[in-house]
């Protein structure tokens, strides 16, 4: 059996009248049993990707495979794929139990089997006690859990989730992330999760595809995307990064040097001489008083121009020569960092990403 459950081959999709393709993906696959996320800003083509997988939209060109079968021309109801949307769309006149039972009734499952599977599905989303209620008698988060149960009860090969948590408030969203991860682990179905929320994508997924303008910008584990962004777009879209002007010399000799605010250091990843930009995450910078020992190898002198108290951390803005760098530092009740103070900003070369685009 193939390890890939979904594969795109040169898929292009445009909507009538649009100047560019809503989705343009040459080669892309999702593995069986993955919790895979598609992350991108609004209008980047995420829903289009899901609708193509589900079969609600047709490609202009290219092919889509489910398992090893070419499903490009296969209608949605023959694809064994199910979708959970942001608006949960339960049937209002049916109890929650009957809502979950509905797909199994359509599939003419035997009564005994149906009861067993509905009870099991409701148990997995912790809704057993409320099974006899109607949708309007439970909260939005509970309705979304039932919508999930209804979507996986018939055991589709793939479950598509299109921003399913975006209608919920923050605490519930965080709680539901745990529910989803645990659920996916237990039922083992491939989840393809679409979101514009980096927190959701990073915390739940085995891999993430970052999409912008209909194209995949980077695909990898949450860790690799966070620590090794391959472009300015990804560096700025995920987490918070400084983009620091730098000058590269000796590239190609195996010991490329970069110079930032008058300090030079070796950075083998730099491949082209001349001006460039380094991305350094806010939390990779340390700020220490000038007379303290700086914790990291590369040290720049500067002056604090702003301190934002965020509760759990401080965002400290430091002017170093003609550049402004921002650092996240752990907040302390008696923080010694003050506006106007002369400080040292330090970081390690391995925490810098360099872009040549
Ligand atoms: P996302 O889900 O990432 O917000 P979509 O896949 O919905 O993005 O949309 C991608 C692009 O295609 C956007 O520019 C959007 O305006 C356009 N688009 C989406 N659906 C349609 C449609 N039915 N007709 C025309 N244009 C559409
Ligand atoms: Mg969308």
């Amino acid at each position: 059996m193939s390890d890939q459950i979904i594969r795109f081959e040169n898929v292009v999709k445009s909507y009538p009248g649009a100047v560019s393709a809503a989705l343009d993906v040459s080669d892309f696959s999702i593995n069986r049993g993955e919790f895979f996320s598609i992350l991108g800003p609004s209008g980047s083509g995420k829903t289009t990707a899901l609708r193509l997988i589900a079969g609600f939209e047709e490609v202009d060109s290219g092919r889509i495979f489910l398992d090893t079968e070419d499903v490009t021309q296969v209608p949605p109801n023959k694809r064994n794929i199910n979708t959970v949307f942001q608006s949960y769309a339960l049937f209002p006149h049916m109890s929650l139990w009957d809502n979950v039972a509905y797909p199994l009734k359509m599939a003419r499952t035997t009564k005994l089997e149906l009861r067993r599977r509905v009870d099991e599905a409701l148990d997995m989303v912790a809704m057993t006690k409320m099974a006899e209620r109607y949708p309007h008698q439970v909260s939005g988060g509970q309705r979304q859990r039932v919508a999930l149960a209804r979507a996986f009860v018939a055991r589709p090969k793939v479950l598509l989730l299109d921003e399913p948590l975006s209608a919920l408030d923050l605490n519930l969203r965080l709680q539901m992330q745990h529910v989803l991860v645990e659920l996916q682990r237990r039922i083992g179905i491939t989840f393809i999760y679409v979101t514009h929320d980096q927190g959701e994508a990073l915390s739940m997924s085995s891999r993430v595809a970052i999409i912008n303008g209909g194209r995949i910008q980077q695909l990898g584990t949450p860790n690799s995307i966070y620590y090794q962004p391959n472009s300015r777009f990804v560096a700025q879209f995920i987490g918070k990064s400084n983009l620091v002007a730098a000058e590269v010399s000796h590239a190609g000799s195996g010991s490329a040097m970069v110079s930032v605010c008058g300090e030079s250091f070796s950075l083998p990843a730099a491949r082209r001489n001349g001006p460039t930009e380094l991305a350094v995450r806010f939390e990779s910078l340390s700020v220490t008083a000038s007379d303290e020992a700086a914790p990291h190898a590369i040290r720049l002198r500067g002056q604090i121009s702003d301190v934002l108290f965020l509760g759990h951390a401080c965002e400290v803005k430091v002017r170093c020569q003609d550049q402004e760098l921002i650092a996240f530092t752990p907040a302390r009740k008696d923080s010694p960092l003050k506006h106007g103070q002369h400080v040292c900003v330090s970081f390690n070369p391995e925490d810098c990403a360099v872009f040549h685009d």
Side-chain angles (χ1 to χ4, degrees), residues 227-238:
Y227 288 108
Q228 290 139 36
N230 66 359
S231 62
R232 278 186 194 84
F233 173 79
V234 174
Q236 293 193 298
F237 187 64
I238 307 286

Side-chain angles (χ1 to χ4, degrees), residues 313-335:
C314 284
E315 220 176 272
V316 183
K317 203 184 264 185
V318 183
R319 174 156 284 282
C320 297
Q321 295 190 355
D322 58 346
Q323 306 213 49
E324 210 133 62
L325 303 179
I326 301 177
F328 270 141
T329 64
R332 285 181 9 206
K333 215 171 168 186
D334 53 348
S335 175

